[in-house]
Amino acid sequence: MTRTYNAGVKSWDVVIIGAGIIGLSLAISLRKQRLRVLVVERGEPGREASYAAAGMLVGSGTEMPPAVKPLAAESARMYPEFAHELEDESGLKVDLREQGTILISCDSAFPDSAEPISRERLRSLEPELIVASSAAYISERSVDPRALTAAAFKAARHREVDISSGSEVKGLLTSGDRVNGVQTDKTSYSAGIVVNCAGAWAGCIAAQKFPVRPVKGQMLAVVGGPHLEHVVRADNVYLVPRSDGRIVIGSTLEDAGYNKQTDVSTIQRLLQAARELVPELAKTKVHDDWAGLRPGTPDELPILGETRTTGYFIASGHYRDGILLAPITAEIMTGLILGKSGTHDVGAFTPRRFLGLEQ
Ligand code: GLY
């Protein structure tokens, strides 16, 4: 849907750049505070990283930077309410699964909250899984990010968030050191607050080009094979079952610019790694494969806060955890935009840490 608003007729309190899960969740949160919100999306809403994501709600990963862990844990705790509210408001299901996750590791580097499990217990939990290394159970949920983003889009529309898709923001409108809107390739939109939620494209918007880079992940989904109850996360591959029988298998971490093509050998390698864990996957068919672009930052931390242009905020750089961090990001950013002091220490995420590093 492409809709362009006449800036002379309609005005907004906030323009959000990017209709992925971060932008849409924030739009809904700001509407709850009665702000008038426009989301400007360069392509189709929810079709970039939010569409490509696996949807593992990893609340306590050992690979996660320490500064992100409190946010991840809190966002994981918020998820059931977040997901159910989107379901209620959209009438769409988001496939939030509570079955938990089996972790498999050669060096047993499990988070403290994981419970090591014996071979026998593993066999009863997930009979198709053949594992030579150590295993542990952790009560992490998963969600279907495509369904979640579709629900967020519908819920945002239901709450009268305006959405302009197919318009690329080329730059900011400013007056002195204040933002007062955005300039797209077609028109301009005025608002006293602008929030950059453009994911891997967040660094492309003049005038402050944040060092966000795309980190490509190739993935596939298989159908018609064994039943998996749990998410399975190993050192070199993960498997995420959906309730409709698909199993999503991922992923790579590639520095390939904005190239979203998949290659046969990589998809086959992922499938082979998955088959080593679940040999019955040999009977499945590849349903589809795809690649998404995660928004990576030099320190692997999100960028959350007001920039050096008054009224211009950024919420990007969520790297591998954008789906998980959507509810907490919406809460934090709403607090920052309204000037309310929040309970989370977001000092580590300030955009100002990149002052002087912008291109
Ligand atoms: N969050 C899963 C991934 O980045 O591959």
Side-chain angles (χ1 to χ4, degrees), residues 52-58 215-219 233 238 240 250-253 294 318-324:
M56 295 176 290
L57 303 177
V58 179
V215 181
K216 179 175 173 179
Q218 299 192 42
M219 315 192 46
R233 209 142 48 83
Y238 54 72
V240 187
S251 180
T252 58
L253 292 172
R294 309 171 182 90
H318 293 80
Y319 190 37
R320 306 191 72 172
D321 298 306
I323 299 293
L324 168 70

Side-chain angles (χ1 to χ4, degrees), residues 109-359:
F110 299 124
D112 293 343
S113 47
E115 171 202 345
I117 49 177
S118 65
R119 292 275 152 84
E120 203 172 33
R121 170 105 195 278
L122 185 59
R123 239 191 326 275
S124 76
L125 284 176
E126 205 60 86
E128 307 290 357
L129 189 60
I130 310 291
V131 173
S133 5
S134 328
Y137 173 85
I138 190 163
S139 60
E140 283 169 4
R141 303 181 175 93
S142 68
V143 71
D144 180 340
R146 295 180 187 179
L148 181 81
T149 313
F153 178 78
K154 210 167 159 198
R157 297 292 296 134
H158 179 72
R159 284 190 178 264
E160 299 181 331
V161 169
D162 288 322
I163 302 193
S164 171
S165 47
S167 357
E168 184 166 355
V169 170
K170 295 289 186 190
L172 301 179
L173 303 172
T174 53
S175 165
D177 63 357
R178 273 211 69 92
V179 77
N180 53 22
V182 298
Q183 180 70 51
T184 70
D185 40 6
K186 301 188 185 104
T187 186
S188 60
Y189 299 111
S190 56
I193 305 277
V194 173
V195 192
N196 178 343
C197 299
W201 287 263
C204 304
I205 296 162
Q208 293 169 54
K209 296 197 169 182
F210 293 98
V212 179
R213 70 180 207 292
V215 181
K216 179 175 173 179
Q218 299 192 42
M219 315 192 46
L220 69 151
V222 294
V223 287
H227 174 79
L228 276 189
E229 204 48 39
H230 303 83
V231 170
V232 178
R233 209 142 48 83
D235 297 328
N236 59 342
V237 70
Y238 54 72
L239 292 86
V240 187
R242 305 272 188 245
S243 298
D244 63 7
R246 275 177 303 149
I247 299 174
V248 170
I249 299 170
S251 180
T252 58
L253 292 172
E254 298 170 64
D255 186 359
Y258 289 93
N259 172 349
K260 288 198 297 174
Q261 283 182 335
T262 56
D263 56 81
V264 177
S265 60
T266 303
I267 296 299
Q268 283 306 320
R269 184 174 52 72
L270 286 168
L271 186 53
Q272 182 53 33
R275 279 182 185 159
E276 279 163 20
L277 293 173
V278 182
E280 284 291 299
L281 282 172
K283 296 181 181 155
T284 56
K285 277 207 203 93
V286 175
H287 180 264
D288 57 342
D289 61 52
W290 65 91
L293 302 174
R294 309 171 182 90
T297 59
D299 53 11
E300 295 189 0
L301 299 181
I303 313 176
L304 306 175
E306 192 168 15
T307 69
R308 62 186 152 84
T309 303
T310 306
Y312 179 41
F313 292 78
I314 177 167
S316 180
H318 293 80
Y319 190 37
R320 306 191 72 172
D321 298 306
I323 299 293
L324 168 70
L325 295 174
I328 193 71
T329 299
E331 182 181 292
I332 287 170
M333 294 306 297
T334 300
L336 293 174
I337 289 165
L338 296 178
K340 290 187 181 157
S341 56
T343 50
H344 300 282
D345 179 2
V346 290
F349 312 120
T350 175
R352 288 160 199 258
R353 72 191 191 271
F354 297 121
L355 274 177
L357 285 185
E358 304 116 319
Q359 296 144 355

